Amino acid sequence: ITGGFTPGQAVAIIGASGAGKSTFARMLVGYLEPTGGQVLLDGQSLRSWDPVTRGSYMGYMPQQVSFFDGTIRENIARMRSDDPPELAIEAAKFVGIHDIIMRFPMGYDTVISEGGFQPSGGQKQLLGLARAFYGGPAFVVLDEPNASLDADGEATLFKTIKKASEAGIATIIVTQRLSLLHHVDKVLVLKNGVADAYGAPAEVLPGQVVRAVPNKAS
């Protein structure tokens, strides 16, 4: 993408099924390598970054959110045992789910396990959202983050996107719900793995999208 994604910018990636949206998302965070071109982080190829250092600069929420056997706190913290425990609380508060977690059987110490406690589908997505923003990354990639969210959950997601913009965090969101396009600065349309259009929502999808918030990072 010419010019790249900039700090504080929110970008939606849309396209038909099989257009390559999730593949593109995985390339952005280094899970897949592009067959042509390269992905740059702060001007350097992702390949040149130490994986641990690179991970501290980015967050990722896959389409299917899964958890390790461990506490809510450990899962939000990506199982990093040496990090200060308050970082998980900060991430939960950033995305607005601290109160939800405090209603779990043991709060942040609630253990997720196959035969024990399991969050609901919507709760999993919100916990995955907190994990993606854990540690204050420079940019976050969210793949279908609102697929299982109800209206309240979507409102939480939209508020998080706004907070990320204000905090200078770039947020790239794969979505099929046009409601999310009211909350982004740019839209990237993929077609058969190729960028078919890229620009402001009203320009890319004229007549379908009305901006609900000012464009703060164009």
Side-chain angles (χ1 to χ4, degrees), residues 3-21:
F5 303 120
T6 58
Q9 190 178 56
V11 178
I13 302 174
I14 64 174
S17 296
K21 302 185 297 295

Side-chain angles (χ1 to χ4, degrees), residues 15-64:
S17 296
K21 302 185 297 295
S22 291
T23 298
F24 183 66
R26 288 192 286 268
M27 285 193 297
L28 287 178
V29 293
Y31 285 178
L32 293 176
E33 292 190 2
T35 54
Q38 57 184 334
V39 179
L40 305 179
L41 175 59
D42 198 23
Q44 299 183 51
S45 170
L46 285 185
R47 300 178 185 178
S48 68
W49 283 79
D50 171 77
V52 175
T53 303
R54 184 182 71 196
S56 68
Y57 282 92
M58 61 179 60
Y60 176 55
M61 178 180 169
Q63 198 171 113
Q64 299 296 326

Side-chain angles (χ1 to χ4, degrees), residues 36-109:
Q38 57 184 334
V39 179
L40 305 179
L41 175 59
D42 198 23
Q44 299 183 51
S45 170
L46 285 185
R47 300 178 185 178
S48 68
W49 283 79
D50 171 77
V52 175
T53 303
R54 184 182 71 196
S56 68
Y57 282 92
M58 61 179 60
Y60 176 55
M61 178 180 169
Q63 198 171 113
Q64 299 296 326
V65 179
S66 59
F67 300 100
F68 297 100
D69 283 355
T71 66
I72 295 290
R73 186 193 307 273
E74 289 170 335
N75 274 280
I76 291 176
R78 309 176 188 178
M79 305 306 285
R80 296 180 186 172
S81 58
D82 295 332
D83 286 358
E86 59 267 22
L87 288 182
I89 299 175
E90 291 176 6
K93 288 183 175 180
F94 184 86
V95 304
I97 63 168
H98 174 72
D99 290 343
I100 293 175
I101 293 173
M102 293 306 294
R103 291 196 292 270
F104 289 160
M106 296 184 66
Y108 286 86
D109 294 323

Side-chain angles (χ1 to χ4, degrees), residues 156-189:
T156 297
L157 172 64
F158 298 153
K159 289 177 183 177
T160 300
I161 294 172
K162 181 179 179 181
K163 287 184 69 175
S165 176
E166 294 169 349
I169 301 171
T171 310
I172 297 89
I173 312 115
V174 174
T175 186
Q176 301 208 30
R177 293 190 182 181
L178 291 181
S179 60
L180 199 146
L181 303 189
H182 293 278
H183 303 270
V184 299
D185 303 293
K186 295 287 183 69
V187 176
L188 169 63
V189 181

